[in-house]
Amino acid sequence: MKFFADTAEISEIEELAEAGLLDGVTTNPSLIAKSGRNFLEVTKEICSLVDGPVSAEVVALDHDTMMKEAEALRRIADNVCIKVPLTIDGLKTCRKLTGDGTMVNVTLCFSANQALLAAKAGATFVSPFVGRHDDNGFDGMDLIRDIRLIYDNYLFDTEILAASIRHATHVLECARIGADVATMPPKVIKSLVNHVLTDKGIEGFMADWGKTGQTILTDK
C-alpha cells in the first residue's frame, strides 16, 4: 500500500520524503489555506520534493472552468494529479483529462455507487472519505470493502485512495482490505512506528549497554 501525506506543510513533507516513507501528497483548498502560502507556489514546491503524484484540487464547479483551472495546474509539474469533486461536471472533467493522459483524483466519495462512476469515468484515483463516513454513523471500512469488491469484479484500473484517515487502526484495516493508497496527516504516518514493546526494548538495551562502559565510535 502506498502512503500519501495529506498536508501542504513543506517541512513535514521533507521529513517523510527523507525517511523514504512518502509515495505522494494530497492537498485541498483547506490545507492550502492553512499553510498561509500562495496556492501555485506551494504546489510547485511540493512537486519538487516527491516523485509521486501530488493532488492539486480545482475550485470551480462547472466543467468548462474546471478544465481551464486544470490546464493551469498541469503546467506546474509533470507529477501534478488534478483533483475534482464527485459531481457530474467533475466526472466529465475526469474523462476529458484522463483521455489526455493526465492523472485525476476524484474526491469526496461517500458511496460505492459513486466510486463505480469514478472508475467508469477513467479516474486514476478515487478518494473515499473513511473518517467522515464514520462521523456520520456509517462504517468507513465497509465502504472501502465494497469498492474493492466492485473494482475487482470488473478489473477497473482506478486505485482506491483511502482518505480522511484518522488513526493507525484505519491504516491497518485499509491495508487488510486492499486499498491501494492511504493518504493521511504526517502525524498518523509517524504514529505507525509506535509500540510499547519497542519502546521498552530500546530502554532495556540502552540500560544494559550503559553498564558495559563501551562506545561504538572511537577516536582515531
Side-chain angles (χ1 to χ4, degrees):
M1 185 168 66
K2 288 175 279 191
F3 284 1
F4 287 6
D6 195 34
T7 183
E9 295 296 332
I10 297 300
S11 61
E12 295 178 329
I13 294 169
E14 287 177 328
E15 180 183 8
L16 292 171
E18 289 173 359
L21 299 176
L22 208 54
D23 300 296
V25 173
T26 55
T27 69
N28 59 47
S30 298
L31 291 172
I32 296 291
K34 185 179 178 181
S35 76
R37 297 184 56 194
N38 176 273
F39 175 47
L40 298 178
E41 289 179 359
V42 71
T43 302
K44 183 176 182 179
E45 188 169 358
I46 292 170
C47 288
S48 72
L49 294 173
V50 296
D51 295 326
V54 175
S55 289
E57 189 165 347
V58 299
V59 294
L61 297 178
D62 65 285
H63 168 67
D64 289 340
T65 312
M66 283 184 190
M67 287 300 299
K68 292 176 183 177
E69 292 180 348
E71 182 57 36
L73 294 173
R74 286 194 292 187
R75 289 196 293 266
I76 294 174
D78 291 338
N79 57 331
V80 164
C81 177
I82 306 300
K83 201 172 184 182
V84 300
L86 215 160
T87 62
I88 292 297
D89 282 83
L91 294 173
K92 183 178 179 181
T93 302
C94 173
R95 170 59 69 190
K96 180 67 174 177
L97 291 172
T98 55
D100 291 339
T102 300
M103 293 185 291
V104 176
N105 177 359
V106 179
T107 190
L108 293 170
C109 175
F110 292 95
S111 77
N113 280 337
Q114 289 179 320
L116 177 57
L117 292 176
K120 288 181 68 64
T124 313
F125 303 101
V126 66
S127 291
F129 278 39
V130 173
R132 292 196 197 182
H133 211 60
D134 290 348
D135 293 344
N136 285 276
F138 302 99
D139 188 331
M141 290 306 140
D142 281 346
L143 174 59
I144 301 297
R145 195 173 290 108
D146 285 345
I147 298 172
R148 180 76 278 159
L149 175 62
I150 291 169
Y151 282 13
D152 288 348
N153 282 347
Y154 298 101
L155 303 178
F156 285 123
D157 293 328
T158 300
E159 294 189 30
I160 301 171
L161 195 164
S164 190
I165 298 289
R166 302 280 175 78
H167 44 69
T169 302
H170 274 161
V171 181
L172 174 60
E173 290 302 314
C174 283
R176 283 175 171 168
I177 294 167
D180 301 286
V181 187
T183 187
M184 58 200 118
K187 67 178 182 180
V188 175
I189 296 178
K190 289 187 283 189
S191 76
L192 300 179
V193 77
N194 296 336
H195 196 287
V196 62
L197 294 181
T198 301
D199 296 339
K200 289 181 67 175
I202 291 173
E203 182 181 351
F205 291 156
M206 295 307 295
D208 290 340
W209 179 250
K211 295 173 185 176
T212 70
Q214 299 180 52
T215 180
I216 294 175
L217 300 177
T218 58
D219 294 331
K220 293 184 179 179

